[in-house]
Amino acid sequence: NLDASLNVFRTYVDSIKSFYNNQNPACIGESIGFEESFQEKNQNIEFYPNPVLRGSLLTIDSKSDLKSISIFDVQGKLVMHKKFDISSIQNLKIPSSINAGLYLILLESIEGEKYASKLGVD
């Protein structure tokens, strides 16, 4: 019945409007998550090429000695983890079995600092 459906819809519209009108607008535009200094830390690391081809080398150049790298897919699943020899420049072979797409790359230095960035794989 169309009339009954419209009446139910109107009831939900009123509750949605009420919810929206009671929200705190002060939080709009605010960020949550990492500290602002986190982005400054990320400037200490470069990796290239980005995007990287499957089966090729990713070069990681850091101002800090790196301890490990983890690569996660967009669903948060760990697809690769590697511990490094202590060095500020590392080469990492991206397996050809990895699917093309966007990944999150997490790097950890021997000092315990953590760096994160996006990595494209073609």
Side-chain angles (χ1 to χ4, degrees):
N1 184 336
L2 183 59
D3 290 330
S5 296
L6 286 174
N7 287 335
V8 171
F9 177 74
R10 287 184 185 113
T11 303
Y12 285 117
V13 166
D14 291 338
S15 64
I16 291 170
K17 283 181 184 179
S18 174
F19 174 79
Y20 178 78
N21 289 333
N22 291 323
Q23 294 303 303
N24 182 357
C27 68
I28 296 174
E30 297 292 323
S31 63
I32 59 173
F34 297 114
E35 304 169 4
E36 289 180 19
S37 63
F38 183 80
Q39 291 184 2
E40 293 172 10
K41 288 181 188 177
N42 275 352
Q43 294 174 357
N44 293 330
I45 287 192
E46 294 180 11
F47 54 93
Y48 46 88
N50 190 10
V52 63
L53 295 174
R54 294 179 287 170
S56 64
L57 290 178
L58 176 69
T59 300
I60 303 164
D61 188 359
S62 170
K63 293 181 182 173
S64 301
D65 290 333
L66 298 175
K67 181 169 83 172
S68 67
I69 182 172
S70 299
I71 298 176
F72 297 88
D73 66 14
V74 292
Q75 296 175 335
K77 179 182 172 189
L78 179 67
V79 294
M80 184 176 191
H81 178 79
K82 181 178 187 217
K83 291 187 178 189
F84 289 124
D85 296 329
I86 304 303
S87 172
S88 60
I89 297 180
Q90 299 287 342
N91 290 312
L92 177 69
K93 182 167 182 172
I94 302 299
S96 55
S97 60
I98 280 186
N99 293 328
L102 187 62
Y103 291 85
L104 174 67
I105 184 170
L106 293 176
L107 299 148
E108 184 175 359
S109 72
I110 59 170
E111 294 87 17
E113 291 183 313
K114 295 186 178 171
Y115 309 91
S117 191
K118 293 180 267 185
L119 174 67
V121 176
D122 284 336

